Amino acid sequence: MRRELEPHEQAERSIIKKYRRELWGPFIAALKRYSLIESGDKIAVCISGGKDSMLLSKLMQLLERVSDVPFGLEFVVMDPGYNPENRRRIEENAELLRVPIKIFETDVFKVANNTEKNPCYLCARMRRGYLYRFAKDLGCNKIALGHHQSDVVETTLLGMFYGGQLQGMMPKLRSRNFPGMELIRPMYCIREEDVLSWRRYNNLEFIGCACRFTESAARDTGRSKRQEIKELLLELQKQDPDIEKRIFNSIHSVCLDTFPGYIQGGEEHSFLERYGKNQGDA
């Protein structure tokens, strides 16, 4: 008689078997395409308690077991001021999925929510800084975040529609303030709908957005700009199921020769700098 799988075993098996094409394949593809992991790396997997970061933790655990490239992992949870229910849910899910988390506490929510100017930006900057510092103290040289392909596409559209600029989300970045540290996004090629499907298949319940400012803002305005973009993409996908994939592919094929201006290294450039230098442009 076959033994019934434990929840963490079922979650892992589903990644390799049922969702191999949707999750495991794109995960491995991103690692190779963007050279995210190298021999000797020690990576802090940053867990917020949501579906994305919890899936990331399982993907990284599985990878460590089968990879020919030796690397180490730490599973880090920064408590920025979660309410007791969210904190308990994170701890319970980590135990259920056999993720050996290390929790450290900060006052990020308290500080960010008391500022009048752009609390979300301040919160993100503070969280990133605390994560880098804690990861470095653990001997890590990289932090891994759970952003996925849908985040990349939404961020690109947010910049276009509300920021007046074409700005993407990179698969990896070097830290400016913590020399020798890098940020990587191993789920860069995974779609959010496949993350949701994996969660539902395994009957898992994770915390949503735990930010008190976002919760209050949503009550006041009804929905965020990111939610508007999500809804727009859902409408577009009804007519064209591959629209998200094509937008994602487009940021890998930017034709600078067709843009009147661009920014590189913080410096603005105009097409006039090269205009007329090439013959036969028309």
Side-chain angles (χ1 to χ4, degrees):
M1 184 175 180
R2 178 177 293 183
R3 176 179 66 87
E4 184 176 351
L5 296 177
E6 296 285 335
H8 73 284
E9 294 173 318
Q10 174 62 35
E12 293 170 358
R13 181 180 176 83
S14 65
I15 291 172
I16 298 298
K17 298 292 186 179
K18 181 174 177 59
Y19 293 100
R20 189 176 190 86
R21 185 178 65 177
E22 295 85 357
L23 298 178
W24 185 251
F27 169 67
I28 297 299
L31 298 180
K32 293 179 178 179
R33 182 175 189 179
Y34 308 116
S35 300
L36 298 184
I37 297 178
E38 299 172 303
S39 178
D41 280 344
K42 188 174 183 182
I43 304 166
V45 180
C46 301
I47 299 172
S48 66
K51 66 186 189 314
D52 306 323
S53 61
M54 292 305 296
L55 172 59
L56 174 62
S57 70
K58 298 311 298 179
L59 288 166
M60 296 297 282
Q61 279 185 321
L62 287 168
L63 180 68
E64 187 182 28
R65 294 175 199 165
V66 302
S67 177
D68 294 330
V69 177
F71 67 94
L73 294 174
E74 295 282 358
F75 298 92
V76 174
V77 176
M78 183 194 70
D79 185 342
Y82 291 133
N83 63 44
E85 181 181 352
N86 282 334
R87 171 70 176 256
R88 183 170 60 254
R89 176 63 62 84
I90 292 171
E91 293 172 334
E92 290 174 350
N93 279 329
E95 183 177 357
L96 181 73
L97 294 174
R98 300 295 192 272
V99 179
I101 59 175
K102 288 183 170 69
I103 302 178
F104 69 102
E105 300 178 2
T106 70
D107 59 354
V108 170
F109 282 173
K110 181 178 179 181
V111 174
N113 291 346
N114 284 331
T115 186
E116 296 181 359
K117 189 175 181 180
N118 207 343
C120 294
Y121 175 78
L122 177 60
C123 180
R125 287 294 300 272
M126 290 181 67
R127 287 166 71 116
R128 190 75 56 82
Y130 276 118
L131 287 168
Y132 272 126
R133 189 172 295 111
F134 190 69
K136 195 165 189 175
D137 289 343
L138 291 173
C140 297
N141 65 308
K142 292 180 179 178
I143 65 172
L145 302 184
H147 295 124
H148 45 62
Q149 178 179 292
S150 303
D151 289 322
V152 177
V153 171
E154 290 163 13
T155 298
T156 302
L157 295 182
L158 278 167
M160 291 177 63
F161 293 174
Y162 303 113
Q165 61 183 343
L166 279 170
Q167 181 173 330
M169 177 186 286
M170 296 292 282
K172 66 178 180 181
L173 294 165
R174 289 192 178 94
S175 173
R176 294 180 180 178
N177 300 318
F178 294 85
M181 295 289 291
E182 282 186 284
L183 178 156
I184 61 173
R185 295 182 167 108
M187 291 172 55
Y188 200 80
C189 297
I190 293 176
R191 301 181 306 168
E192 183 175 28
E193 63 184 270
D194 294 323
V195 180
L196 288 166
S197 181
W198 172 80
R199 177 185 63 79
R200 289 191 295 265
Y201 179 79
N202 289 287
N203 297 313
L204 297 169
E205 292 295 333
F206 303 117
I207 69 171
C209 179
C211 175
R212 296 167 188 172
F213 178 83
T214 301
E215 289 173 352
S216 62
R219 286 194 296 269
D220 294 339
T221 63
R223 58 180 180 171
S224 67
K225 295 300 183 186
R226 184 171 289 273
Q227 187 59 39
E228 290 181 11
I229 294 295
K230 283 181 179 290
E231 292 173 6
L232 172 62
L233 284 168
L234 286 173
E235 285 299 313
L236 292 173
Q237 286 170 353
K238 291 178 182 178
Q239 303 297 324
D240 183 355
D242 292 328
I243 189 69
E244 181 180 295
K245 182 179 180 180
R246 276 201 290 274
I247 296 173
F248 180 76
N249 289 340
S250 74
I251 68 172
H252 292 78
S253 304
V254 176
C255 301
L256 285 182
D257 288 341
T258 67
F259 281 80
Y262 64 96
I263 298 174
Q264 187 173 36
E267 183 178 341
E268 293 187 8
H269 295 271
S270 168
F271 80 105
L272 292 172
E273 296 171 13
R274 61 181 186 275
Y275 186 75
K277 295 180 180 181
N278 298 319
Q279 299 299 318
D281 288 342

